[in-house]
C-alpha cells in the first residue's frame, strides 16, 4: 500500500510499542482499530494493558476480528461506534458488527490475500484515512447548518417601535422560523413563522435581519446576531428558504438517524428529501412519528 503524504496520521503516540507487538504475535486475527473522538484513554479490548499513551483524537484500540462493537462499547459506558468509508456517509455500527473484521474485509477487497500482510496493513494508523471509526457521531458545521440553526438572540416582533427587544431562543429549521416565548427554553409558547414566499432582509441595525411571512396576515420578526459570520450564515440559509417555489426541505446524504423534531412545526412542508440517510420507520425520531404525510422525493 502506497503511503505518500500520509505521515500526518502517524505519530509516536499512535504507533505500536513492545506490548502491542507482543499482542499481534502468533495470531493473525489480532490487530487494532483507530478510534477517533475518544476523550480519555481506554483499556484495549481483549488485550493486555498497554503502556503507550494515546492521543485524545486518535487512539489505537487493540482487539481481534472476533471483537464486537458491543464488547468495545461496554468498556466505554455503553457508547456506540460509527463508521465512515472514504469520507462518505457516517453510519452507526450494529452491536454485533466486528470493527477489525470490517478492516480485514476492506483490505481483502483491495486485493490483499496473505493473512500476515493483512494484519500488518491493518495495524497502520494511516489506513484510518480510508476506514475511520468514531467513538461518537461527528457533526460538522455544514451538516448542522443544513439541518437547523439555533441560538439565543435579541428579538423584536412587528415593525412598530412599540415592541421591545428581548432575548429569545430562535430556531431556523426546514421552512420555518421558530421563536420561543421565554429565553433559552422551548417550554413556553412557540411562535411559528412560515418563510416560503416571505422575505428576509438586512436592516440598518448592525447585524440584524428582518424575517417576514407571506400572505395578507404576514408577521415580522427582527433578530440581531452577536457576530457577523452568524448573521451571514442565517441570512444565507433563510434566503434559500424564502425563494423556494415549493415547500422543500432537503436533508439528503447527511447520515441522519432521526428526523429533526423541529420539522414537526413546519406545517407548510410539501416535499421532504431524506434519501441516503439511516432513518428507520419505527425507531424514536423515525418517520412513523410524523402525524401527517409528506411527499418523499
Amino acid at each position: 500500500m502506497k503511503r505518500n503524504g500520509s505521515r500526518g496520521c502517524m505519530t509516536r503516540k499512535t504507533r505500536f510499542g513492545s506490548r502491542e507487538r507482543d499482542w499481534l504475535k502468533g495470531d493473525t486475527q489480532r490487530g487494532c482499530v483507530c478510534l477517533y473522538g475518544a476523550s480519555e484513554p481506554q483499556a484495549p479490548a481483549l488485550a493486555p494493558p498497554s503502556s503507550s499513551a494515546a492521543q485524545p483524537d486518535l487512539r489505537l484500540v487493540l482487539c481481534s476480528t472476533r471483537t464486537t462493537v458491543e464488547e468495545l462499547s461496554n468498556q466505554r459506558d455503553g457508547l456506540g461506534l460509527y463508521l465512515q468509508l472514504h469520507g462518505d456517509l457516517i453510519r452507526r455500527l450494529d452491536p454485533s458488527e466486528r470493527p477489525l473484521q470490517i478492516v480485514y474485509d476492506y483490505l481483502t477487497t483491495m486485493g490483499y490475500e496473505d493473512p500476515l500482510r493483512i494484519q500488518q496493513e491493518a495495524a497502520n494508523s494511516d489506513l484510518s484515512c480510508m476506514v475511520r471509526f468514531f467513538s461518537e457521531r461527528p457533526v460538522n458545521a455544514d451538516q448542522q447548518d443544513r439541518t437547523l440553526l439555533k441560538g439565543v438572540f435579541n428579538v423584536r416582533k412587528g415593525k412598530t417601535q412599540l415592541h421591545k427587544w428581548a432575548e429569545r431562543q430562535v430556531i431556523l429549521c426546514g421552512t420555518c422560523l421558530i421563536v420561543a416565548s421565554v429565553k433559552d427554553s422551548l417550554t413556553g409558547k412557540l411562535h411559528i413563522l412560515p418563510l416560503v414566499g416571505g422575505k428576509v432582509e438586512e436592516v440598518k441595525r448592525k447585524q440584524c435581519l428582518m424575517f417576514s411571512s407571506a400572505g395578507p396576515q404576514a408577521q415580522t420578526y427582527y433578530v440581531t446576531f452577536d457576530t457577523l459570520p452568524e448573521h451571514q450564515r442565517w441570512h444565507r440559509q433563510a434566503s434559500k428558504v424564502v425563494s423556494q417555489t415549493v415547500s422543500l426541505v432537503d436533508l439528503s446524504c447527511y447520515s441522519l438517524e432521526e428526523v429533526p423534531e423541529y420539522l414537526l412545526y413546519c406545517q407548510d412542508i410539501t416535499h421532504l428529501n431524506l434519501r441516503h440517510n439511516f432513518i428507520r420507520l419505527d425507531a424514536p425520531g423515525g418517520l412513523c412519528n410524523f402525524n401527517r404525510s409528506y411527499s418523499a422525493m
Side-chain angles (χ1 to χ4, degrees):
M1 183 182 295
K2 193 174 182 180
R3 298 188 181 88
N4 290 339
S6 61
R7 301 293 291 178
C9 294
M10 295 291 291
T11 68
R12 182 178 58 83
K13 292 183 178 181
T14 57
R15 290 174 181 168
F16 279 179
S18 59
R19 289 179 180 267
E20 289 84 357
R21 287 193 294 269
D22 289 342
W23 164 247
L24 298 185
K25 290 178 180 178
D27 188 349
T28 57
Q29 299 305 305
R30 291 180 176 183
C32 74
V33 293
C34 292
L35 185 62
Y36 285 81
S39 58
E40 57 186 5
Q42 303 157 17
L46 306 182
S50 171
S51 60
S52 61
Q55 295 187 110
D57 60 337
L58 175 58
R59 177 171 175 74
L60 295 179
V61 179
L62 301 185
C63 56
S64 76
T65 56
R66 297 176 293 276
T67 306
T68 65
V69 169
E70 184 176 18
E71 290 175 291
L72 290 173
S73 298
N74 287 340
Q75 300 185 28
R76 303 169 44 255
D77 299 325
L79 298 176
L81 292 180
Y82 296 82
L83 170 66
Q84 183 182 39
L85 297 177
H86 312 123
D88 200 0
L89 297 180
I90 299 171
R91 71 174 180 91
R92 184 195 296 268
L93 293 172
D94 290 332
S96 61
E97 292 189 83
R98 297 169 292 165
L100 185 59
Q101 185 62 55
I102 292 175
V103 176
Y104 276 33
D105 292 342
Y106 181 88
L107 291 168
T108 300
T109 302
M110 291 179 64
Y112 291 98
E113 297 179 354
D114 179 60
L116 183 59
R117 180 66 187 279
I118 292 175
Q119 182 189 50
Q120 293 171 347
E121 292 295 340
N124 285 291
S125 62
D126 53 352
L127 182 64
S128 66
C129 297
M130 294 180 285
V131 184
R132 181 164 293 190
F133 295 95
F134 294 92
S135 61
E136 54 186 334
R137 185 172 184 272
V139 179
N140 59 45
D142 290 339
Q143 176 179 345
Q144 185 69 18
D145 290 355
R146 188 170 173 180
T147 305
L148 61 89
L149 296 174
K150 63 179 179 179
V152 177
F153 307 109
N154 278 316
V155 178
R156 192 187 78 196
K157 181 180 181 181
K159 297 183 178 181
T160 172
Q161 296 291 334
L162 296 177
H163 293 90
K164 296 182 179 180
W165 292 90
E167 286 192 329
R168 295 289 183 264
Q169 182 162 179
V170 185
I171 300 168
L172 178 61
C173 182
T175 61
C176 292
L177 184 77
I178 303 171
V179 181
S181 60
V182 293
K183 177 185 176 181
D184 201 18
S185 174
L186 296 176
T187 57
K189 181 180 179 182
L190 298 179
H191 302 276
I192 314 298
L193 188 71
L195 292 178
V196 175
K199 294 188 301 182
V200 56
E201 298 177 353
E202 296 182 282
V203 295
K204 293 181 180 179
R205 183 183 175 90
K206 187 179 180 180
Q207 295 167 189
C208 180
L209 294 177
M210 181 189 74
F211 299 89
S212 298
S213 59
Q217 297 181 340
Q219 293 183 318
T220 299
Y221 280 92
Y222 292 86
V223 181
T224 300
F225 300 93
D226 300 326
T227 65
L228 179 59
E230 212 167 28
H231 169 270
Q232 293 172 334
R233 186 163 57 248
W234 281 69
H235 189 204
R236 181 171 58 250
Q237 185 73 3
S239 297
K240 294 178 183 178
V241 177
V242 300
S243 62
Q244 292 174 179
T245 56
V246 295
S247 300
L248 165 66
V249 175
D250 184 2
L251 298 179
S252 61
C253 302
Y254 270 85
S255 302
L256 296 177
E257 296 181 358
E258 59 184 31
V259 180
E261 59 177 309
Y262 302 114
L263 287 183
L264 297 173
Y265 300 113
C266 301
Q267 300 291 334
D268 59 344
I269 293 179
T270 58
H271 296 73
L272 179 59
N273 187 353
L274 294 172
R275 289 180 296 185
H276 305 301
N277 285 292
F278 303 101
I279 302 172
R280 299 180 180 179
L281 288 175
D282 53 354
L287 295 175
C288 286
N289 293 326
F290 276 171
N291 56 4
R292 58 186 182 277
S293 297
Y294 291 121
S295 299
M297 293 183 65

